Amino acid sequence: MVAVGLLVIFGVAALVFDGGMMLLEKRDQQNAADAAAIAGARFLPVDHAAARAEAEAVATENGFTDGVADQSVAIEFPSAGRIAVRIEDRTPSFFAGIWGLFGHDVASRAVAVNENRPLGPFGMLSLEPSDCSALRVRGGGVIDSAGDIQVNSTCPSDAMSLGGTGEVIVAPSVGCNVVGGFSSGGSSSYNCAVTEGVVPIPDPFLGLNPYEPPIPTDSSGNIVYPNPPMVVSGGSPSIPSGCPGSSSPASHTTPRLCRFNTNGVTWRLFPGYYPGGFHFQKGTFYLEPGIYYIGGGGLDMNSSGAALISVDPGGSTPGGGVLLYNGNHSSDTDGSELHLNGSSAGMHLLPMQSGPYAGLVIYQDAAVCHRVTLNGNNSDVIVRGTIYVPCGEVQANGNGGTITTDQIVADTFDVLGNGGSLRVMYDSTFLPTLRLAGLVE
């Protein structure tokens, strides 16, 4: 009976102690494999040799070296941009030895990837952490979104609120995800699956450095504008005051507004530093590809006589790629609003195509907390790509027209309208991508 009892005791001890040692070894292996895979992925997809060497070095730092004792560290590249690390070892047994089991084989595997991925699983993201109605749909406002709607506010009653005859129309499997509470009233309607109490999504652009505009100067320190607005057609009007090339252009210390107010004229504009901002009142405007840094005067397009189009170099049809960067670099330290109003005219902007701001079409500096307004107003406003307004409200008013974009990240949203809609396409063709290195297995 004692002998049988000892066998049972040793069996339980083997299960508990030897099993525990195996689990401990498994955890150490997995930690080492994860770290090695992530370290190696930083060199992909370009340098496989460097990726292998770095993964092996990190595995060794964590106690596992290929060929030492019973250890094995195998590294593979299953596909472009991916690295797989498999670690094997043999753990000696203690109590299980009485049954002839003198060791246990333990293995762990990790796969990491380094690739470009679309920015964020959302079409609309409200960053405001606590205010109620951080995303508000009212009046006849309509949101038509192909991507998830995420509201970070913790307001328990109505972090996201629908009222009036507002509508939220989403594609299948698209959700309305709210950290706080969701409310709807009046004759409003929605078809998204609402999930409250979700985890907030951090600002995806926190790691993107603010843009510092190059300010060309002459030998006396005066700002030089090498690319003044060019008249494409419509006569030979003089360049308006405050615009590059005029007799009194805006400067860093005197940020005059560049105001266009002549019917029947087509202008070509070039990227650069515009410290006094724009007022597109009348005319057609071709924006050549690049960054338009608005240093403090904002941008106002509010007349039925203006059309704004991004074009390829020298072109006259929608193309190219621009970034309207609303900053406060001039003496107007608070910056000003961006007000884009279709107003029975045309607006067709495409986002930057390359560089760190690729995929972005509007970027408002975090130090500028003014509203960005998008009005359809009996016209189709096309502003493809991502709109980023971390410290301001994005107000969208369809009002008989459709506002089309792909993604909006803003502090708060106010969507209203009368027979129009905000259409969020969430098309990866136009979205920013981030180079991400992380575990996938």
Side-chain angles (χ1 to χ4, degrees):
M1 291 178 64
V2 172
V4 172
L6 287 174
L7 287 175
V8 173
I9 291 171
F10 277 110
V12 172
L15 182 64
V16 174
F17 189 80
D18 290 358
M21 293 298 294
M22 289 175 62
L23 291 175
L24 179 63
E25 177 72 10
K26 177 75 173 178
R27 186 187 67 183
D28 291 342
Q29 280 186 2
Q30 192 64 59
N31 289 342
D34 290 349
I38 293 173
R42 293 187 294 115
F43 296 90
L44 298 179
V46 177
D47 194 338
H48 284 193
R52 180 184 298 276
E54 184 67 13
E56 290 174 345
V58 171
T60 297
E61 290 175 4
N62 285 275
F64 298 95
T65 302
D66 187 54
V68 173
D70 295 316
Q71 296 175 359
S72 170
V73 178
I75 297 173
E76 298 176 346
F77 301 96
S79 62
R82 295 197 173 207
I83 181 173
V85 178
R86 179 180 174 85
I87 296 178
E88 298 181 12
D89 197 5
R90 186 168 180 81
T91 303
S93 62
F94 291 88
F95 294 100
I98 63 172
W99 295 320
L101 299 176
F102 299 106
H104 306 278
D105 293 324
V106 182
S108 298
R109 185 174 184 266
V111 179
V113 64
N114 190 349
E115 62 185 8
N116 287 323
R117 292 192 174 185
L119 176 68
F122 52 82
M124 299 175 69
L125 169 61
S126 171
L127 298 171
E128 166 56 42
S130 60
D131 284 358
C132 295
S133 295
L135 190 153
R136 176 173 58 169
V137 183
R138 59 190 176 99
V142 177
I143 294 176
D144 181 359
S145 181
D148 283 353
I149 297 171
Q150 167 84 19
V151 181
N152 282 351
S153 173
T154 57
C155 175
S157 57
D158 57 351
M160 178 176 175
S161 65
L162 277 65
T165 58
E167 290 185 76
V168 175
I169 306 168
V170 299
S173 75
V174 170
C176 293
N177 305 315
V178 189
V179 175
F182 174 92
S183 70
S184 62
S187 301
S188 63
S189 62
Y190 59 95
N191 72 335
C192 58
V194 176
T195 305
E196 298 178 324
V198 301
V199 176
I201 295 177
D203 185 343
F205 293 107
L206 278 179
L208 186 60
N209 293 326
Y211 179 69
E212 286 294 332
I215 305 175
T217 58
D218 59 21
S219 58
S220 300
N222 299 314
I223 296 176
V224 178
Y225 293 96
N227 294 318
M230 292 170 50
V231 178
V232 178
S233 62
S236 302
S238 60
I239 296 175
S241 173
C243 301
S246 72
S247 58
S248 55
S251 68
H252 183 67
T253 55
T254 309
R256 297 184 180 92
L257 183 66
C258 178
R259 183 194 302 268
F260 295 92
N261 189 25
T262 305
N263 275 323
V265 178
T266 299
W267 302 86
R268 186 177 302 278
L269 304 181
F270 295 88
Y273 178 54
Y274 295 88
F278 292 107
H279 189 176
F280 298 116
Q281 200 163 359
K282 297 177 182 178
T284 298
F285 304 92
Y286 297 148
L287 302 184
E288 293 269 317
I291 299 176
Y292 292 76
Y293 188 97
I294 302 165
L299 185 151
D300 191 4
M301 180 178 175
N302 65 359
S303 170
S304 61
L308 196 63
I309 306 168
S310 66
V311 296
D312 291 323
S316 59
T317 57
V322 299
L323 175 64
L324 303 180
Y325 192 108
N326 195 24
N328 60 353
H329 201 279
S330 70
S331 60
D332 182 359
T333 56
D334 292 331
S336 296
E337 290 189 12
L338 298 183
H339 189 272
L340 302 177
N341 187 3
S343 191
S344 302
M347 187 183 307
H348 197 142
L349 303 179
L350 299 181
M352 290 287 288
Q353 300 298 306
S354 61
Y357 300 98
L360 285 158
V361 64
I362 294 175
Y363 186 120
Q364 182 159 287
D365 194 278
V368 179
C369 299
H370 293 291
R371 174 184 293 168
V372 172
T373 303
L374 304 171
N375 282 338
N377 207 11
N378 298 313
S379 178
D380 289 336
V381 172
I382 301 173
V383 185
R384 301 303 300 268
T386 295
I387 298 170
Y388 178 56
V389 186
C391 186
E393 178 179 80
V394 169
Q395 185 180 86
N397 183 2
N399 197 23
T402 300
I403 303 163
T404 301
T405 188
D406 289 281
Q407 186 179 62
I408 308 177
V409 179
D411 185 55
T412 59
F413 291 88
D414 185 16
V415 181
L416 62 159
N418 182 18
S421 64
L422 172 63
R423 189 180 183 194
V424 183
M425 301 291 288
Y426 192 58
D427 185 341
S428 60
T429 305
F430 295 96
L431 293 179
T433 57
L434 296 179
R435 194 74 192 175
L436 300 175
L439 293 171
V440 291
E441 293 182 27

